[in-house]
């Protein structure tokens, strides 16, 4: 993706059924928090979060989010940026989602200011080697 910066709370993705049930990735959560992944089935107050201290750098970046057990990692350009090991909610806990957005939020936040040129969802947590291979061959297939 290529983020132009200068925004808080825009979304790379936001999947859910509204503000009470969703998971999202924002390049800048404002304040002292930068990149944030969050998932909730109980509104903003019930979020389980993975947050980095810095916002997503501007320009073209490769970003991935993986979940292995209760460990969620945000990856930046093939390297782990931040991890949390106590994220007990999984995407399946969201149930059937009917508001699945790329570049848009469940809230009235700004639209993503930039370009998202490839978006993939896998049925397992990708390894670092898998993520790095996608950087070399965008849109490639992981076995």
């Amino acid at each position: 993706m290529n983020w132009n910066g200068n925004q808080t709370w825009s979304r790379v993705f936001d999947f859910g059924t509204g503000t009470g049930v969703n998971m999202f990735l924002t390049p800048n959560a404002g304040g002292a928090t930068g990149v944030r992944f969050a998932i909730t089935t109980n509104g903003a107050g019930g979020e389980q979060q993975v947050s980095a201290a810095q916002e997503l750098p501007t320009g073209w970046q490769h970003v991935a989010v993986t979940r292995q057990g209760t460990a969620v990692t945000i990856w930046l350009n093939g390297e782990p940026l931040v991890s949390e090991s106590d994220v007990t909610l999984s995407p399946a806990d969201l149930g059937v989602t009917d508001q699945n957005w790329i570049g848009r939020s469940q809230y009235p936040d700004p639209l993503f200011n930039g370009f998202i040129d490839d978006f993939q969802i896998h049925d397992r947590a990708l390894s670092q080697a898998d993520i790095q291979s996608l950087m070399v061959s965008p849109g490639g297939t992981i076995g």
Side-chain angles (χ1 to χ4, degrees):
M1 74 184 72
N2 185 340
W3 184 53
N4 293 324
N6 299 320
Q7 291 179 304
T8 56
W9 295 111
S10 67
R11 301 293 199 270
V12 176
F13 67 84
D14 195 334
F15 301 152
T17 58
T19 58
V21 176
N22 61 66
M23 69 176 182
F24 68 84
L25 179 67
T26 181
N28 184 341
T33 304
V35 179
R36 175 185 288 171
F37 168 82
I39 185 167
T40 185
T41 57
N42 218 8
E47 284 182 357
Q48 295 181 10
Q49 304 172 355
V50 181
S51 299
Q54 72 273 14
E55 67 183 34
L56 182 71
T58 57
W60 286 105
Q61 310 294 328
H62 185 274
V63 179
V65 177
T66 59
R67 181 176 187 276
Q68 179 71 41
T70 60
V72 172
T73 302
I74 300 172
W75 300 80
L76 180 61
N77 298 321
E79 299 295 328
L81 178 64
V82 63
S83 293
E84 288 292 336
S85 61
D86 59 351
V87 179
T88 59
L89 290 172
S90 76
D93 293 323
L94 301 179
V96 176
T97 60
D98 60 358
Q99 295 182 50
N100 302 311
W101 314 114
I102 296 175
R104 179 178 165 189
S105 175
Q106 305 286 334
Y107 291 87
D109 296 315
L111 296 176
F112 183 83
N113 182 17
F115 301 97
I116 299 170
D117 76 334
D118 190 31
F119 191 93
Q120 297 182 25
I121 299 173
H122 296 267
D123 63 354
R124 65 178 175 82
L126 300 183
S127 68
Q128 185 169 19
D130 291 335
I131 291 168
Q132 290 172 342
S133 74
L134 288 174
M135 292 173 52
V136 173
S137 178
T141 302
I142 300 295

